[in-house]
Amino acid sequence: MSDLLSLGASGVRTYQTALATTSENIANAGNASYVRRTPSIREITGGNGWNNSSPNGMGSSASSILRAGDAYADQTLRTASSDLSRTQAGSVWLERIETALSSGGLSSRLTGFFAAGTALQADPSSTALRAGMLSAGSSVADAFGVTARALDDAAGELDGQAVQGAAELSRLNQAMLKVNQGLVRTAPGTSAMAGLMDQRDDLLQQMSALSDIDVKLDDYGRATVRAGGPNGPVLVDPKDASEVAYGRTGSNVALAVRPSSGTPTLFDPEGGSLAGMVEGAQRISSARDALGRVATDLTQTVNDLQAAGDDQKGNPGTDFFKSSATDPTSFTVKLNSGDQIAAAGRAGGSRDASNLAALAGKRTSMGFEGSVQALVTDNAATLKQRRLVADAQTTIRDGAVTTRSELTGVNLDNEAIDLLKFQQAYQASSRVIQVAKETFQSILEIR
């Protein structure tokens, strides 16, 4: 009779655990970081060999809690998320470049400057037309400054966000180290162990959104994570966590992994938002350099033509623009009045406009407006292509999320079935105890 009581008691304990596990699954059905758990129910045997004290088993036990993790689905989702994060982050800065290049209306102001020169060419003695060309030159100088400052502001904002991203990755490294330490101290097959593994996978997902990572798990479930691929620097291992730093030297930007002991290692991420930021920084710098080249060419071309001609009073022309030696986009109009515009060739007289005709020719050959427009067009085409790629990558990422959810997520229909099954088993085990009690009582009452 005691065996019957033990069998019933073991069933009650087993299905209490099973019901608790199923209830936890149901409670976390909306938690994307939660991985479904199931109890591992096994028979408690009654002995072995010839010394078997009972022809039956000794009941059952929920020996461990199994976690429905899938390493392949996790890796696929991390890769898809990393690719999408890079494209989305890169698109943000392409949009900022587009806004900066259009902020000063540079292309239209260049057109206005050359148009003013063409108008003055028709009547080189007109005071009003000379004043108009001088004003148009000031507008061009202002437009270069506005555009350059907008690009500089974008670069400064990007640097701030990249520093924050690197700091966030460092924080995640430290959190992963704590999870690794917890995993080795936690009994396997427990709910606590499953919870730590959920935290580990969630942290890895967050890390992959910042940088592409390579993950290796040991027998305890502890993660060794490398940045930028299997040969990259170690971000975190079972014993240590590294810091990640972002820095800029002029137009060059870089990311480095700095372990607690040792020298920093530079790495170039291929995925994640940090990769998109690095790419964005390079594109902003490239646009800034291209803008500077146009400003330098314009300043040099106009000033050379001024030096080759005479102003309205017959004096040799002087520099039209005054530029900065350190920043070619920072320049102003040097002339004080329209009379100083060298419209005529050398000794050509007040009605001569051959120098302005040469300026029109330089406009065509140098392609100032075309260079600026090419910057805008190239950036717009790249941004459009990135948006198309982002749409495709979003579909891939969503598919990876769905696949992982099907493999590891909670299905409420299945949980309802398990709940009913375990409830009935619990009630039946309770009934076994009741029957054993009643039978034992009946035996005691026999006289």
Side-chain angles (χ1 to χ4, degrees):
M1 211 51 57
S2 60
D3 286 348
L4 194 59
L5 284 169
S6 298
L7 289 169
S10 70
V12 167
R13 288 191 296 269
T14 297
Y15 292 107
Q16 277 181 334
T17 301
L19 285 169
T21 303
T22 304
S23 299
E24 190 167 6
N25 288 339
I26 294 171
N28 285 278
N31 183 356
S33 300
Y34 181 84
V35 174
R36 182 174 182 267
R37 302 166 192 174
T38 56
S40 174
I41 299 175
R42 66 177 183 85
E43 179 189 8
I44 302 175
T45 58
N48 55 64
W50 59 270
N51 187 24
N52 190 341
S53 60
S54 173
N56 300 309
M58 299 300 293
S60 65
S61 70
S63 57
S64 62
I65 303 298
L66 303 179
R67 180 175 175 271
D70 189 290
Y72 178 77
D74 291 337
Q75 179 59 45
T76 301
L77 178 56
R78 286 196 295 266
T79 301
S81 299
S82 183
D83 292 342
L84 178 59
S85 293
R86 172 176 181 161
T87 302
Q88 289 177 331
S91 297
V92 168
W93 300 108
L94 287 170
E95 290 172 357
R96 286 296 303 273
I97 293 172
E98 184 177 61
T99 301
L101 291 177
S102 60
S103 60
L106 179 57
S107 181
S108 61
R109 295 199 181 189
L110 281 169
T111 299
F113 174 71
F114 289 114
T118 301
L120 182 58
Q121 184 181 349
D123 186 6
S125 62
S126 171
T127 301
L129 292 177
R130 285 177 173 270
M133 185 174 180
L134 197 65
S135 176
S138 296
S139 295
V140 168
D142 291 342
F144 270 108
V146 168
T147 305
R149 286 191 293 274
L151 288 172
D152 291 342
D153 289 344
E157 184 178 343
L158 184 149
D159 288 345
Q161 292 193 18
V163 168
Q164 291 178 1
E168 175 65 11
L169 187 53
S170 297
R171 184 194 68 80
L172 293 172
N173 292 344
Q174 292 294 331
M176 179 61 70
L177 176 61
K178 292 185 181 299
V179 170
N180 281 344
Q181 293 170 344
L183 284 168
V184 79
R185 294 194 297 262
T186 304
T190 61
S191 180
M193 173 65 80
L196 284 171
M197 289 183 174
D198 286 353
Q199 291 181 41
R200 178 200 65 197
D201 291 348
D202 185 52
L203 288 171
L204 290 173
Q205 185 63 31
Q206 294 180 58
M207 293 168 74
S208 68
L210 291 168
S211 173
D212 56 321
I213 57 175
D214 178 76
V215 181
K216 295 290 188 297
L217 302 179
D218 65 13
D219 293 338
Y220 294 99
R222 297 176 299 181
T224 297
V225 186
R226 292 180 178 270
N231 297 319
V234 176
L235 292 175
V236 60
D237 61 26
K239 297 181 179 180
D240 192 20
S242 302
E243 291 185 356
V244 180
Y246 169 88
R248 174 190 289 273
T249 302
S251 60
N252 298 317
V253 299
L255 287 162
V257 174
R258 184 169 53 239
S260 58
S261 61
T263 58
T265 303
L266 296 179
F267 79 101
D268 188 14
E270 295 293 332
S273 59
L274 286 174
M277 291 179 193
V278 170
E279 181 186 11
Q282 293 168 346
R283 287 188 171 275
I284 291 173
S285 179
S286 177
R288 187 69 162 75
D289 291 344
L291 189 70
R293 288 193 294 271
V294 175
T296 297
D297 291 344
L298 178 68
T299 301
Q300 188 67 44
T301 298
V302 174
N303 286 349
D304 287 349
L305 287 173
Q306 279 283 116
D310 292 340
D311 64 15
Q312 192 172 22
K313 296 179 180 179
N315 298 320
T318 58
D319 286 349
F320 195 108
F321 295 116
K322 179 182 179 181
S323 62
S324 167
T326 57
D327 182 6
T329 62
S330 177
F331 65 96
T332 58
V333 172
K334 189 176 181 181
L335 301 183
N336 297 317
S337 70
D339 293 343
Q340 295 176 297
I341 296 175
R346 185 71 67 202
S350 61
R351 301 296 300 174
D352 180 38
S354 59
N355 219 27
L356 291 176
L359 177 63
K362 289 292 185 180
R363 174 191 184 184
T364 301
S365 62
M366 298 293 290
F368 299 107
E369 298 144 284
S371 297
V372 173
Q373 193 58 44
L375 275 176
V376 177
T377 302
D378 178 67
N379 188 80
T382 303
L383 177 57
K384 181 179 180 181
Q385 188 264 345
R386 291 300 171 82
R387 286 170 174 165
L388 292 174
V389 171
D391 290 341
Q393 289 176 337
T394 299
T395 301
I396 294 171
R397 192 276 314 273
D398 291 346
V401 170
T402 300
T403 299
R404 182 179 184 273
S405 178
E406 290 174 349
L407 293 172
T408 66
V410 175
N411 184 308
L412 289 176
D413 292 335
N414 292 338
E415 298 305 321
I417 294 171
D418 286 347
L419 192 65
L420 181 60
K421 178 178 66 176
F422 294 146
Q423 180 188 23
Q424 291 175 341
Y426 179 85
Q427 290 172 340
S429 297
S430 300
R431 182 59 179 158
V432 168
I433 295 175
Q434 182 65 30
V435 168
K437 177 183 176 183
E438 292 173 356
T439 304
F440 190 66
Q441 185 65 34
S442 298
I443 293 173
L444 289 176
E445 291 175 356
I446 296 176
R447 297 178 181 176

